[in-house]
Amino acid sequence: MQTKAIVVIDMQVDFVKGALGFPGAVGLDGRIASLLRRLSGYDIYFTLDTHHGDYLSTEEGRRLPIPHCLEGSPGYQLMGTLTPFANIGNTFKKETFGSLDLALRLKAKGYEEVAFCGIDSAICVFSNAVLAKAALPNAKIKVLRDYCASNSREAEQNAYQALKYTHIDVIEGDLE
């Protein structure tokens, strides 16, 4: 059984070059794919932000009225460089920022270390790292700063500071 996992958060077309795309996200998928190829001894998981036709009537849709990651649309797709690492058993659809299903899987597996990367560091990466810490209070939870992106540098810095207060490590560079 693996004792380490890495979670790639929402590396979907709409967050890189679609409805909510931003310059800092361009190329992140290639860096993450390179990291995944170099890793050994880690289980790999993905989250997919997943919305439907009623998005604008949801709580998130009222607060962020930009339809994105609509299931089945081109923008919903995982960035192509990452698809070789994803499969049904390691991918979690989520309708909100954090995935309770992912946190429960991490808990069930009893990981000693879980690393996070992806988009948006101030929102979904942050939320899932906090959920992982709640699920695995004695595990080492890490956010890989060099493999994350946010459309707001200020929000990202605030999130990294908050993560440190919750005993989640924000690290620069690679794992291992």
Side-chain angles (χ1 to χ4, degrees):
M1 182 175 110
Q2 297 293 354
T3 61
K4 299 177 185 179
I6 185 166
V7 182
V8 181
I9 304 291
D10 297 354
M11 285 303 306
Q12 293 160 268
V13 171
D14 267 349
F15 288 120
V16 177
K17 56 186 180 180
L20 293 175
F22 58 99
V26 175
L28 183 60
D29 59 308
R31 290 196 314 272
I32 291 172
S34 177
L35 173 67
L36 296 179
R37 279 192 291 277
R38 294 190 311 270
L39 284 181
S40 63
Y42 283 78
D43 286 341
I44 301 170
Y45 296 98
F46 291 86
T47 65
L48 294 174
D49 197 39
T50 304
H51 301 295
H52 303 95
D54 67 343
Y55 174 75
L56 292 175
S57 66
T58 67
E59 178 69 13
E60 181 181 324
R62 287 188 292 275
R63 291 174 179 252
L64 177 64
I66 302 170
H68 62 282
C69 296
L70 299 176
E71 191 168 18
S73 73
Y76 179 74
Q77 302 306 310
L78 190 64
M79 291 296 291
T81 55
L82 296 170
T83 56
F85 303 98
N87 60 56
I88 302 243
N90 73 344
T91 303
F92 293 83
K93 295 178 181 180
K94 60 183 191 57
E95 293 183 3
T96 188
F97 306 126
S99 171
L100 185 56
D101 289 338
L102 170 65
L104 293 172
R105 170 77 63 85
L106 297 174
K107 180 177 181 163
K109 292 281 193 168
Y111 292 108
E112 295 173 8
E113 178 181 313
V114 182
F116 288 86
C117 60
I119 296 174
D120 181 296
S121 24
I123 304 169
C124 293
V125 173
F126 174 89
S127 297
N128 284 285
V130 170
L131 285 171
K133 190 63 172 175
L136 297 164
N138 293 310
K140 188 165 206 54
I141 307 297
K142 302 175 179 182
V143 171
L144 307 176
R145 185 182 198 127
D146 294 344
Y147 297 91
C148 290
S150 176
N151 198 23
S152 168
R153 291 292 291 160
E154 180 181 356
E156 182 177 56
Q157 294 309 314
N158 290 337
Y160 288 156
Q161 192 62 33
L163 288 171
K164 291 176 185 177
Y165 284 124
T166 62
H167 305 157
I168 294 171
D169 296 325
V170 178
I171 64 169
E172 295 189 34
D174 287 352
L175 293 168
E176 298 182 317

